[in-house]
Amino acid sequence: MHELTVRGLVLEAEDVLTVELAGTRLPAWTPGAHVDLVVGDGTVRQYSLCGTPDATSLTVAVRHEPAGRGGSDWVHRTLRPGDRVTVRAVRNHFALEDAGDYVLIAGGVGITPLLPMAERLAAGDRPWRLVCIGRSAARMPFRQRIEALGPHTTIHETAVDGRPAIDGLLDGTGLVYVCGPVTLIEAVRAALDARGQGERLRAEHFRAPDDAEAAEPGAFTLRLERSGLDLAVPAGRSALDVVIEAGVGVHRDCEEGICGSCETKVLAGAVDHRDHVLTARERAANSCMMLCVSRAAGPRLVLDL
Ligand code: FES
């Protein structure tokens, strides 16, 4: 837990505010990381870090979504320089992995985790490129920092250029990092799958896809090995709710499978992974799950709780 002070607020682009947070003991982070920020009503929201890891402050960029869940509205309307805020944790489920080359694709404010990555890659010797896609230049944050990266970067204004052909962005054999709206991520996923290169994808969602809860889940049972409890998870309830109701402590923040807070070790049973945190390799390993959205692929799971 870190109590930090708002050092500065900058309107980075239309509706996008950067918030600079300072404190005496800042948590270390690497490109791709996000903070769990406690917002006005006491709930927690995840925002990607978009400054530089060796800076004396943490910076996040927040797009104002008046129809959202309230976190961005609180940041834009209430937060002022000098205010104290709480950062619960810094996590990174979107870290730069070793690869021969990199393609980074940002949709709108999805540039926030990718910009520190691009700046890190610019200091190295591996081939990389960054593609930023947005409706208009006015709505694209960090335009100067992006342009400072030079010829490795391409900016697509869809209002001017139309939508780019996704397949044309994917040449290479290394990793493809994409952050932005679900439609963009799914388009990249489909294009990579069509090439037979689905394992190249590394994606970070802003919000869970609308269909994340659409499939009606079946009932299953949970064995909590350390607690000695057997619990029934009915259709329509999350494993997380059932576990917490039974009095077993598990962290939870987003409850949408995007923050990683509720990650739990699986001892036995196959998992139907529905989160947006684990990589394809981690899913295949079947050794952990996000209790808030993922379910049993069979009748029973045994958890290390
Ligand atoms: S609470 Fe965020 S992934 Fe489960």
Side-chain angles (χ1 to χ4, degrees):
M1 193 89 87
H2 303 269
E3 297 296 327
L4 303 177
T5 302
V6 178
R7 181 190 278 174
L9 295 167
V10 174
L11 193 61
E12 193 67 45
E14 189 181 305
D15 287 339
V16 178
L17 195 63
T18 53
V19 182
E20 186 185 4
L21 303 171
T24 49
R25 280 178 45 248
L26 290 174
W29 63 281
T30 52
H34 70 262
V35 291
D36 291 347
L37 180 69
V38 180
V39 299
D41 61 359
T43 58
V44 176
R45 295 287 179 270
Q46 286 74 40
Y47 296 110
S48 295
L49 287 163
C50 57
T52 50
D54 53 358
T56 58
S57 58
L58 300 179
T59 303
V60 296
V62 181
R63 167 151 278 157
H64 194 197
E65 295 176 8
R69 296 180 299 164
S72 74
D73 204 50
W74 176 77
V75 169
H76 276 252
R77 292 182 187 279
T78 309
L79 214 53
R80 293 294 174 261
D83 286 354
R84 302 281 290 168
V85 296
T86 301
V87 165
R88 282 251 305 261
V90 174
R91 306 175 203 275
N92 197 345
H93 298 292
F94 195 48
L96 269 179
E97 298 171 38
D98 191 37
D101 58 78
Y102 300 86
V103 179
L104 314 179
I105 302 175
V109 77
I111 184 63
T112 51
L114 297 178
L115 191 51
M117 284 188 190
E119 290 169 342
R120 170 70 55 89
L121 292 170
D125 56 6
R126 305 276 172 90
W128 67 277
R129 59 191 187 280
L130 168 66
V131 181
C132 302
I133 304 168
R135 201 180 317 152
S136 67
R139 288 178 62 82
M140 274 185 209
F142 307 113
R143 186 82 189 240
Q144 286 187 339
R145 273 173 74 187
I146 293 167
E147 289 176 347
L149 290 164
H152 291 271
T153 64
T154 311
I155 293 177
H156 281 276
E157 288 184 82
T158 56
V160 178
D161 310 321
R163 294 193 178 282
I166 296 295
D167 187 64
L169 308 177
L170 304 176
D171 287 348
T173 56
L175 295 175
V176 178
Y177 284 81
V178 54
C179 183
V182 172
T183 49
L184 174 65
I185 292 170
E186 293 310 315
V188 174
R189 187 191 306 279
L192 284 170
D193 284 347
R195 289 170 167 236
Q197 298 177 338
E199 74 288 348
R200 293 177 64 198
L201 181 65
R202 301 291 182 271
E204 179 149 285
H205 294 254
F206 283 145
R207 295 287 311 274
D210 292 341
D211 64 356
E213 299 169 23
E216 178 62 10
F220 58 98
T221 60
L222 287 177
R223 168 72 183 174
L224 308 189
E225 196 63 37
R226 281 189 282 122
S227 309
L229 292 173
D230 290 291
L231 305 172
V233 182
R237 291 202 74 196
S238 73
L240 182 64
D241 281 345
V242 171
V243 166
I244 287 177
E245 192 175 86
V248 177
V250 179
H251 285 300
R252 62 169 156 182
D253 288 327
C254 72
E255 296 185 56
E256 293 186 307
I258 55 178
C259 74
S261 300
C262 65
E263 181 173 333
T264 298
K265 197 169 167 189
V266 175
L267 300 177
V271 180
D272 173 10
H273 292 286
R274 302 182 178 195
D275 65 274
H276 307 286
V277 175
L278 299 177
T279 63
R281 197 177 303 155
E282 288 168 331
R283 287 174 178 224
N286 199 66
S287 58
C288 64
M289 68 182 288
M290 302 303 148
L291 287 185
C292 61
V293 292
S294 296
R295 307 187 67 81
R300 185 171 185 259
L301 287 173
V302 183
L303 303 178
D304 185 27
L305 285 175

